[in-house]
Amino acid sequence: MKLILLGAPGAGKGTVAKLLTAIDGSVQISTGDILRAAVKAGSDLGKQAKAFMDAGDLVPDELIMNIMKDRLREDDCKAGYLLDGFPRTIPQAEQLKVLLEEIGEKLDAVVSLEVPRDVILDRLTTRRTCTDCGAIYNVKSNPTKEEGKCDKCGGPVVQRDDETEEAISNRLDVYNEKTAPLAGFYKNEGMLMEVVATSSDAVVDAIKEKVGL
Ligand code: ADP
Ligand code: ZN
């Protein structure tokens, strides 16, 4: 399947994407994961992106589009993809539309995960991420077996630099201003599917039904 997952930070895009990859071999493409890997590797891209990310601001559209133009042409995309955290602005959505036409592809749907703001805030402040494999934990609902150590790969599990209360509040403001308008954009395109996302399993079931799996 080929989907865009829309939703505020902490809405569960990453979790839902990971569940969907297990169903039909589609790959999860998370621009946030790609950028964090670049920061960790100290590449040019990472150096250009880090300050924006730490503040909870968006990385410039041009950097993101350069990443995605290459990424969507890779072989593993043939099995389908789940775009997680991209597009994030109207210009990115417009450029993605052109890019998909260029490579002759059509999305199945744009899924908007709707979660109340208090749930989002609670999830983000309690979220922990493995710096090695990107696995996501939660100190309340899904803790690691051993504190600070990833169950899957043994890597360090920490709070992200952009998950301080200040950065989180900025990320939510940026989301409302720059990303929330994408719902209207995709509604116009006739592609929007809105799902109340309090349980990831319910979201996955709704998506399976929509794409006929
Ligand atoms: P979230 O948990 O907020 O959805 P992500 O892991 O998707 O976080 O992204 C983390 C950060 O990476 C964002 O706050 C932003 O700085 C940057 N980023 C990720 N994807 C994009 C994008 N499509 N456009 C601009 N910036 C992005
Ligand atoms: Zn790990």
Side-chain angles (χ1 to χ4, degrees):
M1 62 187 112
K2 294 178 179 166
L3 299 179
I4 292 174
L5 298 171
L6 278 184
K13 300 183 295 291
T15 308
V16 167
K18 286 193 176 74
L19 292 168
L20 292 172
T21 58
I23 293 173
D24 71 348
S26 304
V27 288
Q28 174 188 12
I29 303 181
S30 157
T31 41
D33 285 349
I34 294 171
L35 292 168
R36 276 185 292 279
V39 169
K40 206 177 163 207
S43 67
D44 277 348
L45 171 66
K47 285 182 192 135
Q48 292 175 69
K50 184 169 177 18
F52 295 105
M53 295 174 74
D54 285 351
D57 289 328
L58 293 181
V59 169
D61 290 335
E62 202 194 326
L63 282 183
I64 300 290
M65 291 314 302
N66 284 340
I67 297 172
M68 292 306 294
K69 278 177 189 154
D70 292 338
R71 185 64 190 88
L72 284 175
R73 287 185 166 93
E74 279 174 37
D75 268 351
D76 60 352
C77 289
K78 301 229 158 59
Y81 40 81
L82 311 155
L83 303 183
D84 161 13
F86 169 84
R88 258 291 219 284
T89 63
I90 296 283
Q92 288 180 20
E94 283 166 344
Q95 290 175 58
L96 173 63
K97 190 176 169 186
V98 175
L99 173 60
L100 289 172
E101 278 162 13
E102 265 170 32
I103 58 182
E105 297 208 338
K106 206 176 163 303
L107 299 172
D108 296 305
V110 176
V111 184
S112 174
L113 308 185
E114 313 286 338
V115 184
R117 188 178 167 107
D118 52 333
V119 176
I120 296 270
L121 275 174
D122 188 58
R123 278 190 195 167
L124 289 177
T125 47
T126 53
R127 180 154 87 173
R128 300 292 181 268
T129 308
C130 172
T131 50
D132 287 350
C133 77
I136 294 166
Y137 298 91
N138 184 290
V139 288
K140 286 196 217 158
S141 60
N142 176 29
T144 51
K145 290 202 186 78
E146 207 179 311
E147 204 189 315
K149 193 170 164 194
C150 181
D151 294 353
K152 297 193 179 100
C153 79
V157 172
V158 300
Q159 189 161 27
R160 278 166 37 182
D161 287 343
D162 62 355
E163 285 178 349
T164 62
E165 247 175 75
E166 201 190 341
I168 288 169
S169 142
N170 187 39
R171 274 160 67 206
L172 292 176
D173 290 346
V174 170
Y175 177 79
N176 288 330
E177 188 191 329
K178 304 264 176 61
T179 310
L182 292 184
F185 178 93
Y186 286 115
K187 199 168 209 167
N188 265 331
E189 304 268 310
M191 294 170 76
L192 191 70
M193 170 187 175
E194 287 168 292
V195 208
V196 177
T198 32
S199 128
S200 313
D201 289 334
V203 174
V204 169
D205 288 343
I207 293 172
K208 278 166 80 175
E209 197 181 312
K210 167 87 182 177
V211 301
L213 280 169

